[in-house]
Amino acid sequence: MERVFGPRFTLQLRRTGPTGVWIALEMGLGLLLFLFGVPAVAVFGGSWTAGSLDILLAETIILIAGPWVLALVKGQLFPPVLTVEGDRMQITTFGGFRELRLEDVGGFYFQRSGECYILYDKRGKTLAKFSTRDDFGPQFMDFLTDHNIIYRQHI
């Protein structure tokens, strides 16, 4: 059994993409297509009405369900969770988990629009989004500064 020395906590992360906006937008488009498309096909469809309605229904289902499936696949439907045990960090999403190595972290900066911090790697790619107002947010900030991961104004 491995003993872990140092901090142990779990932090609820924020979504890194505007998932809710895309879901709402696509649902709105799907509903508009359905509400205006069905009467249009019924009036102007002629002999192609049945086939046109099938295509319209398939497009509507794709528009409404597509963003949900995409968000689930990308791990953005349910917010990820960061677990810190000693010097190890792990991000767990609905689809699995990934290990974050301290040597791969480039730093973090404050994002005013979301009032949260963005943790990024050495190439500038976003690794996680967190807030110090959440449970264990201040402890994670202390963890980062204790490991010489620096705060930058802008990247």
Side-chain angles (χ1 to χ4, degrees):
M1 182 178 215
E2 182 181 334
R3 292 198 118 177
V4 176
F5 297 102
R8 293 182 87 162
F9 57 86
T10 302
L11 175 65
Q12 183 82 36
L13 298 175
R14 306 286 175 100
R15 290 180 181 92
T16 56
T19 305
V21 173
W22 285 110
I23 288 173
L25 183 66
E26 295 289 327
M27 285 184 71
L29 287 173
L31 289 173
L32 283 174
L33 177 67
F34 185 76
L35 290 175
F36 291 107
V38 169
V41 167
V43 171
F44 303 112
S47 63
W48 297 93
T49 302
S52 298
L53 283 174
D54 290 343
I55 292 170
L56 181 69
L57 183 60
E59 289 174 350
T60 303
I61 289 171
I62 289 170
L63 277 173
I64 291 175
W68 292 91
V69 172
L70 184 63
L72 182 65
V73 169
K74 290 176 67 179
Q76 293 290 312
L77 188 58
F78 303 106
V81 174
L82 175 82
T83 304
V84 175
E85 291 182 351
D87 287 342
R88 296 179 56 199
M89 295 184 293
Q90 180 178 345
I91 294 179
T92 306
T93 61
F94 183 73
F97 67 92
R98 67 182 168 153
E99 192 80 24
L100 285 182
R101 298 177 355 169
L102 287 168
E103 52 271 3
D104 294 337
V105 177
F108 61 98
Y109 65 93
F110 185 73
Q111 182 185 46
R112 286 201 166 113
S113 62
E115 294 186 6
C116 55
Y117 291 90
I118 306 293
L119 185 68
Y120 59 90
D121 66 8
K122 298 208 186 247
R123 295 172 294 165
K125 181 182 172 206
T126 300
L127 296 172
K129 189 175 182 180
F130 68 98
S131 174
T132 55
R133 293 180 290 169
D134 294 338
D135 292 340
F136 298 108
Q139 287 89 335
F140 185 55
M141 183 72 77
D142 293 340
F143 173 81
L144 293 174
T145 55
D146 289 347
H147 288 86
N148 297 323
I149 297 173
I150 55 174
Y151 172 78
R152 300 210 189 263
Q153 293 288 10
H154 302 306
I155 60 167

